[in-house]
DNA sequence: TTAAAGAGGACTAAAATGGTCCCCAATAAA
DNA sequence: TTTATTGGGGACCATTTTAGTCCTCTTTAA
């Protein structure tokens, strides 16, 4: 299923709401209301986003959360990384020492290529892209899908 | 962490071994031995790969498993899909009806763009790419990373 | 006929995930 | 200076998912 976690999903929804007023400060509870997600859960998500410097927080009355950067500069990769840690499809891409197959694994290094490709894909799309509602292409997508290209050149030196 | 499951990981390792002799038939137990993975687990993985037509099986003595296509034609996407079902980062990309945020989610359609990009990345790399051991670039990667490009064009019609 | 393979699926233990709660710290306003 | 409002940090537990094992049945070559 290659899923992102629900919390990451929530994060993008929440940040999507914040992106509508990028310099405004939002209380966690208000965001919970407008996103239709439970209060404590929204808090948990926002705390993680603060740690990762995706949003800034202010305490006290009239406090709340605010985007740390413009929606255009906030990549989906950074949001997912905030909630799930480093983006890597396999354990050994992060820490090889735990891999028990290491000796018989002849596939290792090549994962890195895929990881980079996926990271690039998530880095290339920003909160601004996600937050845009309709007015878009006839197929329902704002970003023309045909314009997303992925072209690895294979084995050129073999 | 945006991981693939261990079983998908095993699948790629197992298929990597099979790719060394693409037309040979391998018994599940032999593959377990050479991959350093438990026998029953290897069987489980191979059964899923048969269902998805990634490998073919033959019963009876001298039976076993064989790649259904050449390693060059076997994409990583098809392998992961065999073990984890459709590749989609969010639930609602597969089935919108279960989404409780639907009404307040202003981010929906745009996931599709990311999903396609990731699918493209996994489709573009094949078993042949993964199975190649060393002889490669100075950084340890066979496929030059610089040659992997991802270029969404943003909001051109706005 | 037999033995060596895979097919299908039930079952369990362990790990990850999601969600809630509690108490502490900061701070604006009364 | 007090109080009320907001976030910070982390513990905790229920649930779900995942991984791994096992059992019985089917196929088929020798």
């Amino acid at each position: 299923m290659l899923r992102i976690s629900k919390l990451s999903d929530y994060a993008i929804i929440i940040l999507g709401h914040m992106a509508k007023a990028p310099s405004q400060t939002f209380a966690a509870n208000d965001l919970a209301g407008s996103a239709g997600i439970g209060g404590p859960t929204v808090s948990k998500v926002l705390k993680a986003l603060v740690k990762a410097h995706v949003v800034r927080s202010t305490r006290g009355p009239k406090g709340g959360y605010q985007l740390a950067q413009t929606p255009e500069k906030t990549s989906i990769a950074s949001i997912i990384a905030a909630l799930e840690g480093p983006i890597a499809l396999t354990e050994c891409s992060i820490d090889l020492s735990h891999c028990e197959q290491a000796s018989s694994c002849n596939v290792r290094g090549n994962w890195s290529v895929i990881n980079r490709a996926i990271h690039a894909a998530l880095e290339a799309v920003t909160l601004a892209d996600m937050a845009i509602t309709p007015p878009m292409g006839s197929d329902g997508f704002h970003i023309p899908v045909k314009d997303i290209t992925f072209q690895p050149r294979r084995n050129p030196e073999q």
Side-chain angles (χ1 to χ4, degrees), chain A residues 64-65 81 100 133:
Chain A
Y65 297 91
E100 293 164 11
T133 0

Side-chain angles (χ1 to χ4, degrees), chain A residues 2-93:
Chain A
L2 197 70
R3 298 280 161 75
I4 59 169
S5 71
K6 274 193 177 187
L7 295 187
S8 298
D9 200 354
Y10 293 159
I12 291 172
I13 294 174
I14 293 166
L15 292 169
H17 282 275
M18 296 177 71
K20 289 177 184 167
S23 57
Q24 188 180 326
T25 295
F26 299 85
N29 268 322
D30 296 348
L31 287 169
S34 43
I37 304 171
T41 302
V42 169
S43 282
K44 187 178 194 172
V45 168
L46 286 166
K47 286 174 198 173
L49 291 171
V50 169
K51 268 194 187 168
H53 307 290
V54 174
V55 302
R56 279 193 302 260
S57 65
T58 319
R59 293 190 183 186
K62 307 273 179 185
Y65 297 91
Q66 187 185 21
L67 291 181
Q69 301 193 78
T70 64
E72 287 74 22
K73 287 186 182 168
T74 305
S75 75
I76 299 302
S78 68
I79 299 170
I80 293 180
L83 282 130
E84 318 193 19
I87 292 172
L89 293 190
T90 54
E91 202 59 58
C92 71
S93 306

Side-chain angles (χ1 to χ4, degrees), chain A residues 107-124:
Chain A
V107 141
R108 245 173 312 182
N110 301 300
W111 269 114
S112 173
V113 178
I114 298 182
N115 282 329
R116 293 190 198 199
I118 290 189
H119 195 269
L122 295 173
E123 196 67 56

